[in-house]
């Protein structure tokens, strides 16, 4: 595994920690013996470069976007001391701060590109890019807030208050009303999705190899792997959701994203092309990243392949709908 692949691996661990440097140090020791294994997919941070030998940056605006402009993506060009840019759907890049993509997993955009979530003073803020309200979660001792799960219609987000990967509680925020509630979740159980009807998808504690049991709307459902294990010594469990569709990463002879319905039936699968890595689902497909020595691009696959975007070298990128799960 080259240094770039190693960083992608470590970044996946870092998203769970309030202190990303500690996370990377810890993960490096834990994973040093495994860096010769195949590269793993990254969920929240991916690295991009321009195709052209002498790239030209997108125009930068130093004022907030005008109401009515939705977000296309969010990125910072490097890990330290780089401006963080909000890319709008009209192609403009708006500078919104410095070092705001890191630690990984703490920044988010709603699936419809309307809401931008950023940490703020130990708490968390979700602002409406179309000119609506800002919802604020106040800081609480003992950890930080991070985005965990988006509703597919962008009307709700589940936030987790966590430290070093240990979640103390969740907050369910209704963005239409601003109402916040704390869902009751059994100890050791993690929220990994919301159904299309708004019910929680929970993952109880278990050892995962070829099958996974999730609690969907209060009912246990078994999801069985089709092409390879769901986790092994070199790959952790990868669960993503978008409404009633669940996405599980399987590690057989080739990496595959299996798509399951809420009843546990495998509906379809996406083969991850060689040299690309999984990022997350969209309304019409699934996003992968293609890294390289000079060029790294974001593509949507699942139907007709589509180039989503190109970004500066070593940029950490967040796409709409991407959160911890």
């Amino acid at each position: 595994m080259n240094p770039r692949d190693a960083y992608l691996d470590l970044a996946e661990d870092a998203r769970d920690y309030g202190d990303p440097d500690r996370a990377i140090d810890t993960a490096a020791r834990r994973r040093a013996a495994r860096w010769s294994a195949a590269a793993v997919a990254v969920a929240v941070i991916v690295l991009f470069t321009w195709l052209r030998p002498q790239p030209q940056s997108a125009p930068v605006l130093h004022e907030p976007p005008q109401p009515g402009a939705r977000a296309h993506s969010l990125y910072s060009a490097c890990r330290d001391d780089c401006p963080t840019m909000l890319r709008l759907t009209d192609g403009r890049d708006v500078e919104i701060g410095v070092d705001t993509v890191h630690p990984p997993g703490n920044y988010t955009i709603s699936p419809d590109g309307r809401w931008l979530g950023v940490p703020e003073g130990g708490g968390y803020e979700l602002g409406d890019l179309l000119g609506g309200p800002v919802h604020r979660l106040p800081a609480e001792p003992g950890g930080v807030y991070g985005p965990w799960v988006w509703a597919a219609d962008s009307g709700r987000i589940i936030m987790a208050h966590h430290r070093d990967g240990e979640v103390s509680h969740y907050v369910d925020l209704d963005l239409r009303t601003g109402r916040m509630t704390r869902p009751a979740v059994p100890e050791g159980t993690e929220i990994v999705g919301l159904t299309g009807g708004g019910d929680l998808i929970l993952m109880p504690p278990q050892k995962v190899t070829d099958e996974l049991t999730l609690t969907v709307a209060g009912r246990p459902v078994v999801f069985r792997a089709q092409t390879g294990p769901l986790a092994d010594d070199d790959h952790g469990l990868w669960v993503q959701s978008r409404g009633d569709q669940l996405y599980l990463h399987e590690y057989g002879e080739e990496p595959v994203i299996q798509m399951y319905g809420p009843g546990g039936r495998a509906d379809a699968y996406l083969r991850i092309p060689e040299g690309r890595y999984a990022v997350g689902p969209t309304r019409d497909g699934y996003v992968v990243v293609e890294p390289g020595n000079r060029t790294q691009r974001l593509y949507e696959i699942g139907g007709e392949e589509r180039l989503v975007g190109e970004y500066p070298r070593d940029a950490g990128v967040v796409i709409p709908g991407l959160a911890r799960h």
Side-chain angles (χ1 to χ4, degrees), residues 195-248:
T195 67
D199 294 311
L200 295 177
I201 302 174
L202 305 176
M203 184 171 68
Q206 61 199 287
K207 182 178 180 180
V208 177
T209 53
D210 296 325
E211 67 178 39
L212 173 69
T213 300
L214 300 178
T215 303
V216 181
R219 182 172 62 91
V221 178
V222 177
F223 298 82
R224 293 182 173 84
Q226 306 294 310
T227 65
L230 300 171
D232 58 25
D233 290 340
D234 296 309
H235 306 93
L237 178 65
W238 187 295
V239 182
Q240 294 172 305
S241 67
R242 189 179 176 95
D244 284 333
Q245 193 80 65
L246 279 92
Y247 301 78
L248 303 182

